[in-house]
């Protein structure tokens, strides 16, 4: 099952009963953002409950992840009337539409009773690793595939073992690019004035 939610995304909105749960948040965009996350969480709960009722919960791997960090610039929201961007990427710089950590380092979780050790995984992973990882778990061969950019990261995800990945290509396009090798990250901006930035992520 592949299930995608629009929330939390522009337009920032949620059913009234969810908005009412966040009356203490003064900004309407931030209130709707929080409410839409709670609404999404409830819907995910319905899926988990349905799996349990069908006796499939212990035989089901659940993967939850975002596609990008929250926008920090109103131009990245897709809406012209956003006054306050409600997203918060914590300590990470910038957000959606950039190759900085706030735009590329996203929340994710994996849950599978009896198969995934509870804890935090801090190893380097990329969304392209999901295909070879899930294919191997399902017993599917990737031998006839074109060369894959992803690696099997199941031991990292399930037990917190060191990641098999040592590099990341964040993005390469006409206007910007970002690559990482170990703790070093190179960011390139083409629009004038062009600039190259080198960071030690650690």
């Amino acid at each position: 099952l592949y299930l995608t939610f629009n929330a939390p995304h522009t337009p920032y909105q949620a059913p009234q009963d969810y908005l009412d749960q966040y009356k203490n948040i003064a900004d309407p965009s931030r209130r709707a953002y929080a409410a839409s996350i709670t609404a999404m969480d409830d819907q995910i709960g319905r899926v988990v409950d349905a799996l349990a009722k069908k006796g499939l919960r212990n035989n089901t791997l659940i993967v939850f992840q975002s596609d990008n960090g929250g926008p920090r610039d109103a131009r990245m929201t897709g809406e012209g009337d956003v006054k306050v961007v409600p997203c918060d990427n914590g300590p990470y710089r910038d957000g959606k539409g950039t190759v900085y950590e706030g735009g590329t380092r996203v929340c994710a979780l994996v849950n599978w009773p009896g198969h995934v050790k509870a804890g935090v995984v801090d190893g380097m992973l990329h969304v392209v690793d999901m295909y070879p990882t899930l294919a191997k778990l399902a017993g599917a061969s990737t031998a006839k595939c074109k060369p894959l950019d992803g690696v099997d990261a199941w031991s990292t995800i399930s037990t917190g073992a060191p990641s098999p990945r040592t590099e990341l290509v964040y993005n390469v396009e006409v206007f910007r690019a970002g690559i990482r090798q170990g703790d070093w990250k190179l960011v390139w901006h083409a629009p004038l004035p062009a600039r190259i930035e080198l960071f030690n992520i650690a």
Side-chain angles (χ1 to χ4, degrees):
L1 173 66
Y2 176 65
L3 175 60
T4 58
F5 291 89
N6 192 53
H9 200 285
T10 52
Y12 299 121
Q13 58 189 6
Q16 191 60 49
D17 56 330
Y18 285 98
L19 291 168
D20 290 344
Q21 295 177 44
Y22 293 96
K23 291 178 182 177
N24 60 315
I25 299 177
D27 176 68
S29 292
R30 184 74 183 165
R31 184 182 321 117
Y33 188 79
S36 67
I37 291 173
T38 299
M40 176 181 64
D41 189 53
D42 283 352
Q43 300 312 307
I44 293 170
R46 291 178 64 196
V47 173
V48 174
D49 289 345
L51 289 168
K53 286 176 186 173
K54 293 192 175 289
L56 298 171
R57 184 62 192 93
N58 290 334
N59 194 33
T60 302
L61 167 66
I62 295 175
V63 178
F64 175 89
Q65 65 190 42
S66 179
D67 58 347
N68 50 253
R72 296 303 304 137
D73 183 328
R75 293 172 295 180
M76 288 295 165
T77 64
E79 301 284 324
D81 60 348
V82 174
K83 304 289 187 280
V84 176
V85 179
C87 311
D88 184 347
N89 297 319
Y92 303 122
R93 180 179 180 176
D94 221 320
K96 179 179 179 179
T98 74
V99 293
Y100 293 118
E101 297 299 281
T104 59
R105 190 176 291 203
V106 299
C107 62
L109 69 85
V110 172
N111 179 274
W112 189 6
H115 297 273
V116 177
K117 185 174 77 172
V120 175
V121 172
D122 198 28
M124 194 185 315
L125 298 171
H126 192 284
V127 69
V128 298
D129 301 329
M130 294 310 299
Y131 176 62
T133 301
L134 296 176
K136 185 172 180 183
L137 282 173
S141 172
T142 57
K144 293 185 179 179
C145 294
K146 292 182 178 180
L148 298 176
D149 292 322
V151 296
D152 175 13
W154 182 242
S155 62
T156 304
I157 293 169
S158 61
T159 68
S163 174
R165 176 172 289 286
T166 59
E167 84 300 324
L168 281 176
V169 175
Y170 291 87
N171 197 22
V172 178
E173 58 182 49
V174 176
F175 298 110
R176 62 188 160 263
I179 58 172
R180 178 176 170 183
Q181 177 72 45
D183 289 337
W184 293 97
K185 179 175 182 179
L186 185 74
V187 174
W188 172 73
H189 297 271
L192 297 176
R195 66 186 189 276
I196 294 175
E197 301 165 321
L198 181 64
F199 300 97
N200 186 302
I201 296 296

